[in-house]
Amino acid sequence: MSDIKPVHTDSGIAIDVRYNAQSKNATPQLEEPGAFPFTRGVQPDMYRGRLWTMRQYAGFSTAEESNKRYHYLLNQGVMGLSVAFDLPTQIGYDSDHALAEGEVGKVGVAIDSIDDMQTLFKGINLQDVSTSMTINATGYILLSLYVALAKQQGADLSKITGTIQNDILKEYAARGTYIYPPKPSMRIITDIFEWCSKDLPKWNTISISGYHIREAGSTAVQEIAFTLSNGKAYVKAALEKGLDINVFGKRLSFFFNAHNNLFEEVAKFRAARKMWAKIMKELGATDEKAMMLRFHTQTGGSTLTAQQPLNNISRVTLQTLAAVMGGTQSLHTNGYDEALSLPTEEAARIALRTQQIVAFESGAADTVDPLAGSYFVEALTAEVEAKAWELMGKIDAMGGSVTAIEEGFMQDEIARSAYEYQRNIENGSKIIVGVNKFQVAEEQHPPVFKIDDSIRRIQSEKLAALRAGRNAQLAAQSFANIEAAAKDGSNLMPHVISAVENKCTLGEISDVLRKVFGEYK
């Protein structure tokens, strides 16, 4: 057998030719699903009781255009909305700012004010839907806009459900849409934790994201090690603020990537649940619900290829199976054309149908943790966990995530893995179908979705009308209140909610805090 070629996952885990009861760590665990440490899932019956929430990440152009797509998706059977914001919105600039030119409405919807938020959710009762918002540096403003709209609709805030990503640490490590330095950014996040625990109790106050870490080139092991380390930093910051871990712990959620290696991905999800339960217990949680790792999954954007794009339907199907068999609580499936453009309606529908086929036709949802007891999966889960603990130990020794990011440790590790992955593709040791093997001479590209550049002008006209029509005295007082709260340490959220109700814009509010906190370079 010595001539058999060795095989490793992208995380460097060696895969044996065969697994049996004598294989290291292959013995199935006897724990029950729905019980600590939740390796086998967070619910005793998992999808037999309730399917995962089927989301479709959408947002582009103006609020009017995105609203049409939301109504289309809801009519197709989507169970929760997931909002993508454009780059200026993500980094705190209004659409009429000079730095917003060329970017308005391109990678998500442009949201500048309460007027845009009203249009975005026109005809949609916020009390009846669960909304996930992928926003970080300006997450406190988007949440304030959502709350202000819910109040206008007469909703009971205690019944509003959804998630705000609000994970700034991974922005410094992997993605780059930060505004303020790490310490004031962490303060904003704990303000959100504190305010929501009293006023928006069912809202998931953070979605600690491994997704973007993986998209930047990390391995599966790095994805969970860095994500859980960031989660640990948020929990410690909240504890330092005097918050109750058994209260805010229940509102923490996670966001993971689903890549192509079906078995490593399932093992990753199982290991992450087990590790987080132990971390929260060590940090003082006594309520098991505060130890549960609940997570949203998105299929891997970086795995999609522009070459032979219809092959991406197969990739997304594999990744969907990994997420479901790994026990996700909600899922977004990518459109097959997303390596070329924003998804067309047809691509978005096929992506949703992929989830529905897995849910209702595959049998994957019929039993809890369907791969449990597999010698291979049990051993792989243990391997992923061990390697992730080892990496987290290095971060803890440095003083935690904030220090590891400030010193460039996470960034360097991700860059090294990304380089290795690309090198393996280029030398042919890793095969990507249609890219470095099984190519076709002539590509037939599907129609692409294009965004009209006139959007910036439309948004700028709306902003001019909004500023001309608002009460200037109330707006000025709102800015003064936010600045005072930022300086004296009182909770920012009530002042930001009041400001957006007084028609202050996202860029203006961001600038007030830029003046107090400065910008991270």
Coordinates of all heavy atoms in Angstrom, one line a residue, residues 415-432 436:
A415 N -3.1 35.0 4.1 CA -2.4 35.2 2.9 C -1.5 34.0 2.5 O -1.4 33.7 1.3 CB -1.5 36.5 3.0
R416 N -0.9 33.4 3.5 CA -0.1 32.2 3.2 C -0.9 31.1 2.6 O -0.5 30.4 1.7 CB 0.6 31.8 4.5 CG 1.8 30.8 4.3 CD 2.5 30.5 5.6 NE 3.2 31.7 6.1 CZ 2.8 32.3 7.2 NH1 1.8 31.8 7.9 NH2 3.5 33.4 7.6
S417 N -2.1 30.9 3.2 CA -3.0 29.8 2.8 C -3.5 30.1 1.4 O -3.6 29.2 0.5 CB -4.1 29.6 3.8 OG -3.7 29.2 5.0
A418 N -3.9 31.4 1.1 CA -4.4 31.7 -0.2 C -3.3 31.5 -1.3 O -3.6 31.0 -2.4 CB -4.8 33.2 -0.2
Y419 N -2.1 31.9 -0.9 CA -1.0 31.7 -1.9 C -0.8 30.2 -2.2 O -0.6 29.8 -3.3 CB 0.3 32.3 -1.3 CG 1.5 31.9 -2.1 CD1 1.8 32.6 -3.3 CD2 2.4 30.9 -1.7 CE1 2.9 32.3 -4.1 CE2 3.5 30.6 -2.5 CZ 3.8 31.3 -3.6 OH 4.9 31.0 -4.4
E420 N -0.8 29.4 -1.1 CA -0.6 27.9 -1.3 C -1.7 27.3 -2.1 O -1.5 26.5 -3.0 CB -0.6 27.3 0.1 CG -0.3 25.8 0.1 CD 1.2 25.5 -0.3 OE1 2.0 26.4 -0.2 OE2 1.4 24.3 -0.7
Y421 N -3.0 27.7 -1.9 CA -4.1 27.2 -2.7 C -4.0 27.6 -4.1 O -4.2 26.7 -5.0 CB -5.4 27.9 -2.1 CG -6.7 27.3 -2.7 CD1 -7.3 26.2 -2.2 CD2 -7.3 28.0 -3.7 CE1 -8.5 25.7 -2.7 CE2 -8.5 27.6 -4.2 CZ -9.1 26.4 -3.7 OH -10.3 26.0 -4.3
Q422 N -3.6 28.8 -4.4 CA -3.5 29.2 -5.8 C -2.3 28.5 -6.5 O -2.4 28.1 -7.7 CB -3.3 30.8 -5.9 CG -3.3 31.3 -7.3 CD -4.6 31.0 -8.1 OE1 -5.7 31.0 -7.5 NE2 -4.4 30.8 -9.4
R423 N -1.2 28.4 -5.8 CA -0.1 27.7 -6.3 C -0.4 26.2 -6.7 O 0.0 25.7 -7.7 CB 1.1 27.7 -5.3 CG 2.4 27.1 -5.9 CD 3.5 27.2 -4.9 NE 3.4 26.3 -3.8 CZ 4.3 26.0 -2.9 NH1 5.4 26.6 -3.0 NH2 4.1 25.1 -2.0
N424 N -1.2 25.6 -5.9 CA -1.6 24.2 -6.1 C -2.5 24.1 -7.4 O -2.5 23.1 -8.1 CB -2.3 23.6 -4.9 CG -1.4 23.3 -3.8 OD1 -0.2 23.2 -4.0 ND2 -1.9 23.2 -2.6
I425 N -3.3 25.1 -7.6 CA -4.1 25.2 -8.8 C -3.2 25.3 -10.0 O -3.4 24.6 -11.1 CB -5.2 26.3 -8.8 CG1 -6.2 26.0 -7.7 CG2 -5.9 26.5 -10.1 CD1 -7.2 27.2 -7.4
E426 N -2.3 26.2 -9.9 CA -1.4 26.5 -11.1 C -0.5 25.4 -11.4 O -0.1 25.2 -12.6 CB -0.6 27.8 -10.8 CG -1.5 29.0 -10.8 CD -0.8 30.3 -10.5 OE1 0.4 30.3 -10.3 OE2 -1.5 31.4 -10.3
N427 N 0.0 24.6 -10.4 CA 0.8 23.5 -10.7 C 0.1 22.2 -11.0 O 0.6 21.1 -11.3 CB 1.9 23.3 -9.6 CG 1.3 22.8 -8.3 OD1 0.2 22.2 -8.2 ND2 2.0 23.1 -7.2
G428 N -1.3 22.3 -10.9 CA -2.1 21.1 -11.3 C -2.3 20.1 -10.2 O -3.0 19.1 -10.4
S429 N -1.8 20.3 -9.0 CA -2.0 19.4 -7.9 C -3.4 19.5 -7.3 O -3.9 18.6 -6.7 CB -0.9 19.5 -6.8 OG -1.0 20.8 -6.2
K430 N -4.1 20.6 -7.6 CA -5.5 20.8 -7.2 C -6.2 21.0 -8.5 O -5.9 22.0 -9.2 CB -5.7 21.9 -6.2 CG -7.1 22.0 -5.8 CD -7.3 22.9 -4.6 CE -8.8 22.8 -4.0 NZ -9.1 21.5 -3.5
I431 N -7.2 20.2 -8.7 CA -8.0 20.3 -10.0 C -9.3 21.1 -9.7 O -10.0 20.8 -8.8 CB -8.3 18.9 -10.5 CG1 -7.0 18.2 -11.0 CG2 -9.3 19.0 -11.7 CD1 -7.2 16.8 -11.3
I432 N -9.5 22.1 -10.5 CA -10.7 22.9 -10.6 C -11.3 22.6 -12.0 O -10.8 23.1 -13.0 CB -10.5 24.4 -10.3 CG1 -9.7 24.6 -9.0 CG2 -11.8 25.1 -10.3 CD1 -10.4 24.2 -7.8
N436 N -8.5 24.4 -14.7 CA -7.1 23.9 -15.1 C -7.2 22.4 -15.6 O -6.2 21.8 -15.8 CB -6.2 24.0 -13.9 CG -6.6 23.2 -12.7 OD1 -7.7 22.6 -12.6 ND2 -5.7 23.1 -11.7

